[in-house]
Amino acid sequence: MNIRRVLIANRGEIAVRINRACRALGVETVQVHSVADKDSLAVRLADQAIEIGPAPAAKSYLRIDAIIDAARASGADAVHPGYGFLAENADFADAVAAAGLAFIGPDGDAIRLLGDKVAARQLAAEAGVPTVPGSTARLADVEAGLALAHRIGYPVMIKAAAGGGGRGIRVVHGAEEFARQFPQAAAEATAAFGDGGLYVEKMIESARHVEVQILGDGQRFVHCFERECSLQRRRQKVWEEAPAFDLPSEVRARMCTAAVKLAARVAYKGAGTVEFLYDRASTEFYFIEVNTRIQVEHPVTEMITGLDLVAEMIRIAGGERLSIEQDDVVIEGHAIECRINAEDPARNFMPGPGTIKSLVVPRAPHVRFDSMLFEGYTVPPFYDSLLGKLIVHGADREACLARLREVLTTLAIEGVPTTIALHAALAADAEVAAGNIDTRFLEGWLGTAFPPPTKTQ
């Protein structure tokens, strides 16, 4: 492999995860950081650390010039973007390549093509992958959107052509609501991604969110099976599983094959995820988008396959071929990941930065905790509230849930509010255990389990 030193252009738990993967490969690390993260675990673990700006991400982690300068100054020969920040920024991937460095992920052209949701829908359709009925191009204006919505029928989803993470999305049930929500969605997309382009999809009722992990080296492509990501709050995933439960083997095979076909279409390099909506009643699935990066939920795939996806990304960027064939990837057991955020579920998920006074992490076989926490660490208020991810593996889903319930009684984080209680309640819920969930389940469930506080509370 041609990579000897990797610059990590991210922070938090994913920076720690990348650092550990590099160490396992014998690769040195350079950690860039803001002023607010100078005492972070990622900085402590790295071989070098370089400050690139003040706390606001726009002045540090989103500064392409500062990160390229740091890479050159440190002698790094590759850059890992993690997820979020610049991970799916095609201009950043191009800038890394132009500086003579390896970008650990797909090239700028692939990110640009797949990052545009409308272009990706067209590409999927051309590859024979089923797509949700809707736009074949960006909407020219609200009138064009209204005409399309009338043709495919309400309810529909207005969606941002760029970006992700649920930003710029509106569910509308009629023409009047469409006309009102359209400019709001465009404004939100512009603010979040600098691109106010919109498109429309038919709303698939009671759908589940199922996504397929892919790996490619530009010539060969494999899938690493699928993840169930239907438990979402405000379109943000909070709990993920692998594999998706009760997915018919024939559907799994078609879905995974479709994801690999799409990867081959763009000669994909690195790790990526092809996302689908799955209608359990009809057993049909529909392409929605591609994430051209490692994802928060990648550990559940690692737990059931035994693969190290981050290490595989690094090796591919270093010029190596995929180390596995499709037949090497098999499912063993079931895994569940709980996102532990510094938020209070009982207070409408209000974020709560602060100092970690004590930390008790369960240490047991088949349990993994990916985090940047240590006692005395101060969680800064400037970034995402994710503290860590608790991942549990079991022989099957029932055994995995039983182990998760036990482990959640051990995990203890004092000093900041957390979502541990939310996950304990979900793990004990009969409907979750039975798999009676879809992408709208959690919002309704929260209204009963964690009702919003009244004004007097």
Side-chain angles (χ1 to χ4, degrees):
M1 184 172 71
N2 297 321
I3 294 176
R4 294 288 176 265
R5 187 174 297 164
V6 169
L7 181 138
I8 303 170
N10 214 297
R11 64 174 303 281
E13 70 86 19
I14 191 61
V16 173
R17 169 74 182 87
I18 296 166
N19 198 301
R20 288 179 168 148
C22 288
R23 286 188 177 278
L25 293 169
V27 173
E28 295 180 4
T29 55
V30 181
Q31 180 64 53
V32 296
H33 65 90
S34 70
V35 172
D37 282 335
K38 61 183 172 55
D39 296 321
S40 68
L41 182 58
V43 167
R44 294 183 180 194
L45 292 174
D47 294 294
Q48 295 183 52
I50 299 177
E51 188 176 302
I52 54 171
K59 297 181 178 179
S60 51
Y61 296 107
L62 291 172
R63 281 190 57 201
I64 294 176
D65 60 336
I67 293 170
I68 297 296
D69 287 348
R72 285 175 166 147
S74 66
D77 42 25
V79 175
H80 198 308
Y83 54 71
F85 293 135
L86 297 170
E88 294 181 280
N89 185 309
D91 293 340
F92 180 53
D94 288 345
V96 170
L101 310 170
F103 183 76
I104 302 177
D107 61 35
D109 289 343
I111 294 173
R112 201 168 279 112
L113 181 59
L114 295 171
D116 185 302
K117 313 303 183 195
V118 178
R121 275 173 53 87
Q122 293 173 332
L123 196 67
E126 291 168 8
V129 180
T131 59
V132 180
S135 300
T136 56
R138 291 180 177 221
L139 297 170
D141 50 35
V142 65
E143 286 75 21
L146 282 165
L148 177 58
H150 177 74
R151 190 161 65 248
I152 63 177
Y154 291 97
V156 301
M157 298 181 76
I158 304 172
K159 302 179 77 171
R167 308 291 295 276
I169 294 180
R170 298 289 189 280
V171 176
V172 296
H173 297 80
E176 184 177 335
E177 185 182 9
F178 190 104
R180 187 172 66 254
Q181 295 284 359
F182 188 91
Q184 295 179 19
E188 184 176 317
T190 301
F193 316 121
D195 181 346
L198 299 175
Y199 68 104
V200 166
E201 283 181 350
K202 175 73 176 170
M203 177 76 181
I204 305 297
E205 305 277 4
S206 303
R208 283 164 47 186
H209 181 126
V210 179
E211 60 186 30
V212 177
Q213 176 71 58
I214 56 169
L215 284 169
D217 61 14
Q219 297 182 45
R220 290 196 305 113
F221 315 93
V222 300
H223 68 79
C224 306
F225 296 101
E226 81 286 350
R227 297 185 284 259
E228 173 82 42
C229 305
S230 296
L231 289 175
Q232 302 178 8
R233 175 178 176 268
R234 297 181 178 176
R235 301 187 182 85
Q236 297 283 340
K237 302 164 188 169
V238 301
W239 160 305
E240 297 99 343
E241 305 187 27
F245 44 82
D246 77 7
L247 196 66
S249 56
E250 177 271 335
V251 174
R252 170 175 292 125
R254 283 197 292 122
M255 187 182 290
C256 291
T257 299
V260 171
K261 285 172 64 179
L262 196 51
R265 187 66 183 257
V266 294
Y268 198 86
K269 281 188 177 180
T273 302
V274 184
E275 298 192 341
F276 298 94
L277 290 178
Y278 172 60
D279 183 345
R280 182 172 6 192
S282 66
T283 69
E284 296 295 329
F285 62 87
Y286 306 93
F287 167 84
I288 47 177
E289 65 182 51
V290 180
N291 293 133
T292 57
R293 54 176 163 77
I294 194 72
Q295 288 201 256
V296 177
E297 57 268 32
H298 76 273
V300 288
T301 297
E302 294 184 329
M303 291 289 257
I304 64 163
T305 62
L307 298 172
D308 184 329
L309 297 173
V310 177
E312 197 71 20
M313 292 178 76
I314 296 168
R315 284 193 288 261
I316 291 168
E320 292 189 11
R321 302 291 302 274
L322 264 177
S323 66
I324 51 174
E325 304 280 350
Q326 187 62 69
D327 289 345
D328 298 328
V329 188
V330 296
I331 297 174
E332 291 191 4
H334 195 91
I336 298 175
E337 172 183 292
C338 300
R339 298 192 189 194
I340 310 299
N341 289 356
E343 299 173 350
D344 186 349
R347 300 180 65 195
N348 202 25
F349 291 84
M350 180 180 290
T355 299
I356 304 300
K357 295 178 180 175
S358 70
L359 174 66
V360 178
V361 176
R363 308 287 184 193
H366 311 292
V367 177
R368 169 174 164 181
F369 187 57
D370 283 17
S371 173
M372 76 295 201
L373 296 183
F374 56 87
E375 291 183 358
Y377 172 66
T378 297
V379 179
F382 310 104
Y383 313 109
D384 186 275
S385 62
L386 182 67
L387 296 174
K389 305 175 305 197
L390 178 67
I391 310 107
V392 174
H393 182 265
D396 53 31
R397 189 169 187 260
E398 184 178 353
C400 191
L401 275 167
R403 180 167 286 146
L404 178 61
R405 286 191 286 270
E406 178 184 348
V407 168
L408 280 167
T409 64
T410 305
L411 178 63
I413 302 169
E414 293 187 6
V416 297
T418 76
T419 52
I420 294 173
L422 163 72
H423 291 295
L426 282 171
D429 187 86
E431 294 298 310
V432 173
N436 295 326
I437 63 171
D438 57 39
T439 55
R440 296 195 294 179
F441 170 86
L442 186 57
E443 296 283 2
W445 180 89
L446 284 170
T448 302
F450 293 91
T454 63
K455 290 183 178 180
T456 56
Q457 287 181 294

